[in-house]
Amino acid sequence: MAVFKAIKNPSTKKGGAKSALDYVGKKSDLTLGLNCSSDSEVAFQEFEETKEQFNKLEGRQYKHYVLSFEKDFNDSELALEMSKTFCEKAFEEYEVFLAVHDDKDNLHCHMVVNSVSFVNGKKHTQSMKDLDKYKEFINEIGLEHGIEITRKLGKEIGEVTTDTKEKRRAIENHFNGEKRSDIVNTYIILTKVLENEKIKSIDEFKEKMNKEGIIVDWQPQRKHITLEVKEEFASSQKRKFRLSNLNKTFNDPRLTKENLEFGFEYTKQVEQEKQKEKERQQEIEKRRERQRERDDFDLGF
């Protein structure tokens, strides 16, 4: 049995991939670079050159995955080979640095993926669907070697975690229909906006939430984002909540500053690609129409 997992909250600080690459690279005697150097320091420079080329030095700097094996598994070469095969399939257009570690009870391979594609500059995204797809990829690879792979188990999205009995009781009362809870309402509205609206920027997000009765305080220089229920819609005196509080309470990995920014950027790219394809199809149709007109003229119609 082996476990595949994504490491949460990678750095959004410019040049932030360096610490991750240094950590995984310097602690390993077995490293490999896909589309980049097998030396962690050189790989970092190549990561940065790709970001500079596409003018995408800001935001999430990398994504970090780990494939861990059982205690009695000690084949470093196979661990690296399986991870390499997976990365070639999952991250074909990205630079990936791999490093096998045997410093803990179980052998494991780190995979650090550049956030920007060296092919087209597209930002790397990771949704729950992506994780399921990655699990399928790596399960297929594991089966070829007689190893069962599983994604790290955890709580389901929306499953409530509270640090006080009072908070849990308030949430339960809301779902029982006894008394409205502002934190539950805020989470429900937030998820509805994220799932139903094609949001492409922070300003657009603020506007959509404001229309739903929630004021978003999002300032680039501040670590935390706060959401405040407008007074006329509030059910209690406590009507302001940090995004990190909602993340923790409802176990929703989307609710971090960097994940929201990443989602907005991804949506913008998708919409731009759709628009380009629409314009391309329109141009093709115009050319066909002009050709039909020329054909009709040649035939004397």
Side-chain angles (χ1 to χ4, degrees), residues 177-194:
E178 297 178 21
K179 185 179 179 180
R180 283 163 51 90
S181 164
D182 284 328
I183 190 171
V184 176
N185 277 335
T186 300
Y187 177 67
I188 291 173
I189 290 170
L190 176 57
T191 54
K192 182 182 74 171
V193 168
L194 292 177

Side-chain angles (χ1 to χ4, degrees), residues 118 126 141 143 166 241:
F118 69 91
Q126 177 215 286
I141 298 165
L143 287 173
E166 291 75 14
F241 309 97

Side-chain angles (χ1 to χ4, degrees), residues 192-254:
K192 182 182 74 171
V193 168
L194 292 177
E195 291 169 2
N196 298 336
E197 304 286 351
K198 295 178 179 179
I199 300 173
K200 300 180 285 296
S201 70
I202 295 171
D203 287 341
E204 190 177 341
F205 173 63
K206 289 180 178 180
E207 179 185 346
K208 299 287 187 183
M209 292 295 289
N210 188 64
K211 287 181 179 179
E212 296 290 341
I214 295 177
I215 301 167
V216 177
D217 184 4
W218 185 325
Q219 300 181 39
Q221 69 274 20
R222 292 185 180 177
K223 178 181 178 181
H224 293 288
I225 298 169
T226 60
L227 300 93
E228 181 179 2
V229 181
K230 292 182 179 179
E231 189 172 1
E232 60 267 34
F233 300 117
S235 303
S236 62
Q237 290 184 340
K238 180 172 174 54
R239 53 192 177 90
K240 185 183 289 188
F241 309 97
R242 283 182 173 178
L243 185 71
S244 56
N245 184 6
L246 294 168
N247 177 312
K248 181 179 178 182
T249 301
F250 297 99
N251 187 48
D252 195 327
R254 296 172 298 178

Side-chain angles (χ1 to χ4, degrees), residues 34 74 152 166 269 287 295:
L34 294 179
N74 56 13
K152 186 177 181 181
E166 291 75 14
Q269 288 186 6
R287 291 179 182 178
D295 292 344

